[in-house]
Amino acid sequence: MADRDWPGCARALKAVVLDLCGVLYESGEGDTVAIPGSVEAVNRLKSSDLQLRFCTNETQACRDKFVAKLQVAGFDISVSEVFSPAPAAVSVLKERGLRPHLLVHDGLLPEFDSLDKTDPNCVVIGDAAEKFSYQNLNDAFRVLIGLEKPVLFSLGQGRYYKETNGLTLDVGVYMKALEYACDLEAEVIGKPSPMFFQSVLNDMGLQPHEVLMIGDDLVNDVGGAQHCGMKGVQVRTGKYSFAENVNTISPWKQFLVQPAQPLFSPPWSF
Amino acid sequence: MADRDWPGCARALKAVVLDLCGVLYESGEGDTVAIPGSVEAVNRLKSSDLQLRFCTNETQACRDKFVAKLQVAGFDISVSEVFSPAPAAVSVLKERGLRPHLLVHDGLLPEFDSLDKTDPNCVVIGDAAEKFSYQNLNDAFRVLIGLEKPVLFSLGQGRYYKETNGLTLDVGVYMKALEYACDLEAEVIGKPSPMFFQSVLNDMGLQPHEVLMIGDDLVNDVGGAQHCGMKGVQVRTGKYSFAENVNTISPWKQFLVQPAQPLFSPPWSF
């Protein structure tokens, strides 16, 4: 999809799905600070004829908590518009009668309150950050290796993300660690899982080609969306600014829509 | 190689190479305790016409330190008979003019005293155990991602090993984590690297088919040795006792010499 396809392509759109971290704000300690122009961009989208949803792999906090922070930062956003991996994982676990051993951030634990966690028969990992200690990873490993049929769920598969103090390892790195330790393949819940994108499409009652995904991650946002038939565009904020200098994205260059534009610049003037 | 090949095969041997942990002793906190019969087995080998070497992926302590512990436990063993990854890594780093960022156990640090570690241009990881914190892994990641051509050395690639209190994650798990984070392939120094086995063969002046490797790890000991043309046999001590109950070894079953025998039982009565 070349630049000349705009704005014809934009006119055919019926919805936009936005990633959060790196698109609306930069991750970091302390208060959530909006990326300049992003609050206004969300307002413009909301006042247009387009449907709007938010699709994140955020797993350090419950959905109501991080949505509240975004509201404080000035965003017009509600919990029902936000799709994140933890509620999706709870649904899958309940359907399959699984009892998880959780290796997730303390802030995410309440999402799993409704599940039985005694005598675990699977492991769920999220972006646990400092809780990814040697001891905790070993505990998760021992649960898996002790199961006849080990089942590992990973809430996303990101390599790293950008915090205010630099790049930071994401859950996918620890997913790969446990996959190797136990010789298994994790089930990914969240972007870029097609099932996850489909749940957003179902909620809006739209076909993939009618929807544009905007994110800062070529693999999980842009690639994942395009794999489902959606359009995908990468912003130049968040981890984008590092991407040109690293060799992590080479397999995904095919997915790059050129030129990628910041959210608050054309072609985002819907 | 079926059981009926013994003892004909054994008569053609000119040397035996022994793994340490899981073969001579069980890993764990506190004193090194010999596996029953293993001190006598080493003595029998030493009194035979066979050459004897020890080949370990031990990277939690300097070679002189863990050899001293084995001597206290009753083993007739000297530093010059022991091959371990750290000294091999130091040679490679010096040859290539590399300055390492080290993520290794504190006990291993002195092995790298002779190297310049300012402004690192590569990362070396060993079995760092508790030092595999989120912060330390992130620090190593940031060094790698900041290099134009990131180079990662891994001292071994084991998945896990057995400690007295259960199975424990090994360095290979963290190697895979950093490989995924940075989209690179680590250079493995230690078993099962052919270069590592070749250095042992060179030291003895023997051809691969004249040498038998005995270990508890199907991938790193048995598979690695057989890949080089050596014979490989798995003991039933160490991690072997867990292997039948997990799915980690399936790709390596082809390497299994049946029946695998404990070190202190036939066909080890040379």
Side-chain angles (χ1 to χ4, degrees), chain A residues 129 134 137-138 141-142 145 157 159-160 165-169 172-174 176-177 180-183 246-248, chain B residues 129 132 134 137-138 141-142 145 157 159-160 165 167-169 172-174 176-177 180-183 246-248:
Chain A
Y134 182 68
L137 200 67
N138 216 44
F141 160 68
R142 287 180 179 180
I145 209 78
Q157 62 177 26
R159 295 166 191 258
Y160 54 83
N165 65 346
L167 294 181
T168 299
L169 292 172
V173 170
Y174 290 89
K176 288 291 173 185
Y180 180 70
C182 304
D183 195 23
V246 299
N247 61 355
T248 61
Chain B
F132 277 130
Y134 182 68
L137 200 67
N138 215 45
F141 160 68
R142 288 180 178 180
I145 209 79
Q157 62 177 25
R159 297 166 191 257
Y160 56 82
N165 65 345
L167 293 181
T168 299
L169 292 171
V173 170
Y174 290 89
K176 288 291 173 187
Y180 179 70
C182 304
D183 195 23
V246 300
N247 61 355
T248 61

Side-chain angles (χ1 to χ4, degrees), chain A residues 142, chain B residues 26-29 60 161-168 242:
Chain A
R142 287 180 179 180
Chain B
E26 300 279 7
S27 177
E29 294 189 8
Q60 285 206 358
Y161 52 90
K162 187 183 168 227
E163 292 220 300
T164 44
N165 65 345
L167 293 181
T168 299
F242 289 82

Side-chain angles (χ1 to χ4, degrees), chain B residues 11 17 21 26 42 59-60 63 65 77 85 88 92 97 99 115 127 136 142 144 160 167 179 217 228 230 239 241:
Chain B
R11 279 197 296 268
V17 179
C21 177
E26 300 279 7
V42 169
T59 59
Q60 285 206 358
R63 201 163 43 157
K65 288 274 168 42
I77 183 172
V92 171
R99 302 177 304 277
L115 291 169
D127 174 17
N136 285 347
R142 288 180 178 180
L144 286 170
Y160 56 82
L167 293 181
E179 284 186 339
D217 188 312
C228 292
M230 297 163 64
K239 73 184 72 171
S241 53

Side-chain angles (χ1 to χ4, degrees), chain B residues 196-234:
Chain B
F196 193 65
F197 284 110
Q198 190 58 52
S199 68
V200 185
L201 293 172
N202 292 347
D203 186 61
M204 297 189 291
L206 294 178
Q207 297 298 309
H209 68 274
E210 298 171 318
V211 180
L212 170 70
M213 171 81 212
I214 301 174
D216 67 330
D217 188 312
L218 268 184
V219 177
N220 297 298
D221 297 325
V222 180
Q226 293 187 350
H227 186 68
C228 292
M230 297 163 64
K231 293 176 177 60
V233 169
Q234 188 187 32

